Amino acid sequence: MRPAQHDSAERGLTLIELVAAMAIFALVAVMGLQALTGSLRMRDRLDGMAAEVGDLGVGLALLRNDLSALLPLLFHPPGGGVRSALALSADGRTLSFSIGGQAGLPPEDGLGLHRVEWRFDPARQQLLRRSWPVPNPASGAAASPEVVRLSGVTGLSVRSYWPVVGWRPGTESGQPRVAPELGPGDRDGPLAQVASSYSDTLPEAVEVTLEIAGRGPVRLLEAVR
């Protein structure tokens, strides 16, 4: 005669126990999926940040390299006139200066003495670079195409350090100077005082501050002399 009470190992799972087990399994699966999704999102975010930091580092290194190659060389644009060796446009968005001794950058060939321009585009939040192959180009077609070197730029400011005067906003000392005589062969006579923006005089140091979206101000300080 069989016993009235079955052994617990032989009776199996009831419907309630099966439903509870499935609910627990579903909960664990959802939690694991959320953890995996969060890890993938974090990986994508870190990859994006690494790419942004890499692009920022390359752009800043190029700008610093240009500033380190400053030369006291006047620039004669195709439209006429003359620009200082270091000049900031009236709207404060284009920094241009004469440099030398650098290798070329695609799509440019290797260059000697030339002029570079860094232009800030506030609408697109970009910093673009182009160059002139010679300090006295014959036409505007001589300039290389503009290339985006930095993105996410929301502001640009420049100041320069001058003897006696100290730090000044922009690239001018604000002080006139007497242009030097060219020597015995100069038939023009004494030259009048000219503003520093029309001379080849360079400051002792230049500071460029870029406002980068999500990162705040980034300052580049370069000693010129």
Side-chain angles (χ1 to χ4, degrees), residues 28-29 32 35 38 53 66 77 87-88 90 107 114 120 133 139 154-155 172:
V28 172
V53 171
D66 280 350
L88 185 66
H114 56 290
F120 167 52
S139 69
T154 60
E172 300 179 10

Side-chain angles (χ1 to χ4, degrees), residues 81-168:
V82 63
R83 294 180 187 172
S84 176
L86 174 66
L88 185 66
S89 62
D91 59 9
R93 295 178 181 177
T94 302
L95 178 66
S96 61
F97 43 93
S98 303
I99 63 175
Q102 288 186 323
L105 293 171
E108 306 166 6
D109 296 326
L111 303 172
L113 302 177
H114 56 290
R115 184 83 170 187
V116 295
E117 290 182 358
W118 287 83
R119 183 176 68 86
F120 167 52
D121 186 341
R124 297 182 179 181
Q125 296 188 352
Q126 294 176 337
L127 193 64
L128 304 97
R129 181 187 186 273
R130 73 169 180 171
S131 67
W132 301 83
V134 291
N136 53 347
S139 69
S144 68
E146 283 190 324
V147 178
V148 178
R149 294 301 182 182
L150 276 176
S151 298
V153 181
T154 60
L156 167 70
S157 61
V158 180
R159 65 176 188 160
S160 51
Y161 185 84
W162 299 84
V164 181
V165 180
W167 285 105
R168 294 272 304 177

Side-chain angles (χ1 to χ4, degrees), residues 186-216:
D186 178 23
R187 299 181 180 179
D188 294 332
L191 300 178
Q193 285 188 337
V194 294
S196 59
S197 60
Y198 290 96
S199 73
D200 59 355
T201 302
L202 290 177
E204 292 188 350
V206 180
E207 181 187 75
V208 178
T209 301
L210 300 173
E211 293 289 341
I212 308 297
R215 303 186 184 280

Side-chain angles (χ1 to χ4, degrees), residues 46-104:
L46 291 176
D47 289 344
M49 292 176 63
E52 291 177 4
V53 171
D55 293 341
L56 179 62
V58 171
L60 293 177
L62 178 56
L63 177 56
R64 181 181 292 277
N65 190 49
D66 280 350
L67 290 172
S68 68
L70 268 169
L71 291 177
L73 182 67
L74 295 173
F75 178 64
H76 302 272
V82 63
R83 294 180 187 172
S84 176
L86 174 66
L88 185 66
S89 62
D91 59 9
R93 295 178 181 177
T94 302
L95 178 66
S96 61
F97 43 93
S98 303
I99 63 175
Q102 288 186 323

